[in-house]
């Protein structure tokens, strides 16, 4: 009489990973996510490993987590995985203050973002 399993948010041949608080703006993160959309998972990992963009490190961790979820939790074939979705959104923002001239202050906004990566097992055609 335990707790019932929650329904899956993705299909039977898909796996999901979400990075919730990645330090940086959603616009910069989306540039990196665009590099891997629709690519094979192995190629996407290589692109992120050798990318010069700092956000690529965090996106690579989320992609690796999605691949591990596919392999360990959903018994999918790792060699047949494709990045089906890589979506980016805003998360929280830290607000800080800095001193300005004539006794004033101005706000510094330090944004956080979230990235959601879905990998899908694709049958060889």
């Amino acid at each position: 009489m335990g707790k019932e399993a929650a329904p899956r948010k993705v299909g039977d041949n898909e796996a999901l990973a979400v990075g919730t608080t990645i330090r940086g703006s959603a616009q910069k993160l989306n540039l990196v996510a665009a590099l891997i959309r629709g690519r094979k998972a192995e190629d996407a990992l290589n692109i992120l490993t050798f990318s010069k963009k700092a956000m690529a490190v965090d996106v690579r961790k989320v992609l690796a987590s999605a691949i591990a979820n596919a392999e360990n939790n959903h018994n999918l074939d790792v060699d047949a995985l494709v990045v089906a979705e890589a979506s980016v959104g805003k998360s929280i923002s830290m607000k800080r203050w800095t001193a300005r001239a004539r006794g004033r202050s101005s706000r510094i906004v330090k944004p956080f973002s979230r990235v959601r990566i879905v990998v899908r097992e694709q049958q060889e055609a």
Side-chain angles (χ1 to χ4, degrees):
M1 207 56 198
K3 184 176 157 185
E4 290 185 28
R8 292 204 52 197
K9 292 184 169 104
V10 291
D12 290 335
N13 63 340
E14 294 178 336
L16 164 74
V18 179
T20 53
T21 51
I22 295 175
R23 180 72 178 83
S25 71
Q27 184 176 9
K28 291 178 186 176
L29 190 61
N30 195 36
L31 291 173
V32 176
L35 294 174
I36 64 169
R37 284 190 192 109
R39 297 193 186 253
K40 295 186 78 169
E42 185 181 351
D43 294 343
L45 277 176
N46 287 335
I47 289 169
L48 293 174
T49 301
F50 297 107
S51 175
K52 290 183 178 180
K53 298 200 173 286
M55 294 295 218
V57 175
D58 295 320
V59 175
R60 187 179 188 284
K61 286 182 187 177
V62 177
L63 178 60
S65 178
I67 293 170
N69 289 342
E71 182 179 14
N72 298 320
N73 300 345
H74 307 301
N75 299 320
L76 301 178
D77 181 21
V78 177
D79 297 328
L81 290 179
V82 173
V83 179
E85 178 186 330
S87 59
V88 174
K90 290 182 180 180
S91 185
I92 62 171
S93 289
M94 288 193 301
K95 278 102 175 171
R96 297 293 182 262
W97 300 93
T98 185
R100 303 304 293 215
R102 299 173 65 177
R104 297 191 178 122
S105 62
S106 68
R107 190 158 85 169
I108 298 173
V109 179
K110 298 186 174 189
F112 285 77
S113 304
R114 53 186 289 123
V115 63
R116 179 179 191 266
I117 296 181
V118 177
V119 290
R120 180 180 298 138
E121 186 178 39
Q122 203 166 44
Q123 309 304 335
E124 297 299 321

